[in-house]
Amino acid sequence: MFKRLLASLAGAAFIGAVGAGLPAQAQDYPTGPITVVVPFSAGGPTDTVTRLVAESMSKSLGQQVIVENVGGAGGTLGAARVAKAEPDGYTLLLHHIGMATSATLYRKLPYDPKAAFAPIGLVTEVPMVLVARKDFPPNNLQELITYVKEHKDEVTYANAGIGAASHLCGMLFMQAIETPLTTVPYKGTGPAMTDLLGGQVDFLCDQTTNTTNQIKAGEVKAYGVFADQRLANLPDLPTVKEGGLEGQSFAIWHGLYAPAGTPEPIVNKLSEALKAALADQTVIDRFAELGTAPVPADQATPAALQQKVTSEIDRWKPVIEAAGEYAD
Ligand code: MLT
């Protein structure tokens, strides 16, 4: 915190010395490579989204934007790493709904999700799909619900740890069918998908960015999408509501953050680079193939992301408390 105070005082002093000009480090930013931390393993949905955005941002920033995977504890280890990083614009975090759910799930979170970060902007909202290994006996959602209830002590559900999107989706599913199941935690749903394809784990709720290709290739069985209507890239996949599963539809929103105390001109420059990446046709086309789309430009802003984090903490708090599942 002391470093942050010094950084902001230095910035203020510099502005005072040279009038309204930008602090030197902001004026020339970026003068070197930028690291974006993904708080999950490589090869998963968060990693996929981040690598597409990072590659495009590096074009407009004129510097390498490097992705670093820091998995563990449902995304909170990677988030904690960035919360403690120098607020100089060279260490960022791309995280998702877990930023909000972890606020309730973790009793001793090593950072305050509302204050430890300088939000840069929202990125995308990705639908969740229920998939299973391809030789799993049920052939539709109703059969799956019946099967897991009858085999509740044998079936295994994969997730990326408490606080992950796959954890939240699984928690809602188990609440809806009133059947707790054995969960197998991974550092990301990249490795979870590998085990699903290998038949080592039975089923998983994951984002379309990590399931579309496997569904289209017939490598996994898909049972439903947690959305109000079917997806354009998977028109034959029913919604879970069509399959008879009541409950709220939700999508996994993703945001880009810097550590709190990062000078505002740097945050604004990053927000502009994020908007340019979200307007990049390559990013738009790849997102569409994977069942998602960039947020509108007015959502790729610090204010929009701050508001999302705050409102989502409030939204999920009672749902998580009703489930009564916490992490220490
Ligand atoms: C999750 O929350 O399940 C993550 O998206 C998994 C991942 O990105 O690897």
Side-chain angles (χ1 to χ4, degrees), residues 72 82 138 159 231 242-243 265 276:
V82 176
N159 69 28
L231 303 178
E242 286 178 82

Side-chain angles (χ1 to χ4, degrees), residues 3-323:
K3 276 189 291 190
R4 230 165 254 142
L5 182 63
L6 273 184
S8 49
L9 285 176
F14 192 87
I15 288 174
V18 296
L22 290 178
Q25 84 273 30
Q27 210 159 35
D28 307 332
Y29 174 86
T31 56
I34 297 163
T35 296
V36 183
V37 170
V38 168
F40 298 101
S41 311
T46 312
D47 187 62
T48 297
V49 165
T50 307
R51 288 180 190 278
L52 286 166
V53 170
E55 186 177 350
S56 185
M57 285 181 72
S58 65
K59 285 185 270 184
S60 56
L61 290 167
Q63 291 291 344
Q64 257 199 312
V65 180
I66 300 158
V67 174
E68 182 182 354
N69 300 90
V70 181
T76 58
L77 289 189
R81 163 85 74 85
V82 176
K84 300 188 194 78
E86 276 299 313
D88 57 10
Y90 292 99
T91 306
L92 309 179
L93 169 72
L94 200 144
H95 196 6
H96 58 34
I97 197 169
M99 180 66 87
T101 58
S102 296
T104 303
L105 287 163
Y106 284 78
R107 297 187 198 280
K108 295 194 284 287
L109 204 54
Y111 55 85
D112 175 355
K114 292 182 185 175
F117 301 95
I120 295 165
L122 282 161
V123 179
T124 184
E125 297 209 359
V126 187
M128 296 292 273
V129 179
L130 201 54
V131 293
R133 57 186 168 80
K134 67 180 176 184
D135 56 355
F136 203 46
N139 289 312
N140 60 50
L141 186 56
Q142 278 308 315
E143 286 180 15
L144 175 86
I145 293 169
T146 304
Y147 186 89
V148 297
K149 285 184 169 182
E150 286 171 357
H151 302 81
K152 65 182 183 303
D153 297 328
E154 298 138 53
V155 297
T156 51
Y157 174 83
N159 69 28
I162 294 180
S166 44
H167 163 263
L168 175 67
C169 187
M171 184 187 80
L172 295 173
F173 177 72
M174 291 175 213
Q175 264 183 330
I177 68 170
E178 295 173 331
T179 309
L181 300 170
T182 303
T183 56
V184 181
Y186 294 79
K187 288 192 172 182
T189 50
M193 180 57 78
T194 301
D195 275 6
L196 192 77
L197 295 171
Q200 278 79 37
V201 70
D202 291 323
F203 73 119
L204 162 69
C205 187
D206 199 5
Q207 300 168 67
T208 54
T209 36
N210 197 40
T211 54
T212 295
N213 295 339
Q214 289 77 1
I215 293 169
K216 291 190 169 182
E219 290 301 318
V220 297
K221 268 186 186 176
Y223 294 92
V225 58
F226 291 84
D228 292 331
Q229 57 272 329
R230 296 190 180 199
L231 303 178
N233 74 318
L234 292 167
D236 300 334
L237 179 65
T239 66
V240 293
K241 279 197 178 74
E242 286 178 82
L245 184 69
E246 286 311 317
Q248 46 195 325
S249 56
F250 63 100
I252 307 306
W253 53 272
H254 294 64
L256 184 65
Y257 305 82
T262 302
E264 191 175 351
I266 291 180
V267 171
N268 292 338
K269 197 174 270 189
L270 287 165
S271 176
E272 290 311 309
L274 173 61
K275 287 176 191 170
L278 299 181
D280 181 339
Q281 199 57 50
T282 304
V283 173
I284 294 168
D285 293 348
R286 191 68 187 120
F287 274 17
E289 287 165 11
L290 295 173
T292 189
V295 299
D298 66 355
Q299 294 298 298
T301 62
L305 180 53
Q306 186 64 54
Q307 200 281 326
K308 189 72 169 180
V309 170
T310 306
S311 63
E312 286 282 284
I313 289 173
D314 295 344
R315 172 190 179 189
W316 292 105
K317 187 172 189 299
V319 175
I320 290 164
E321 286 170 346

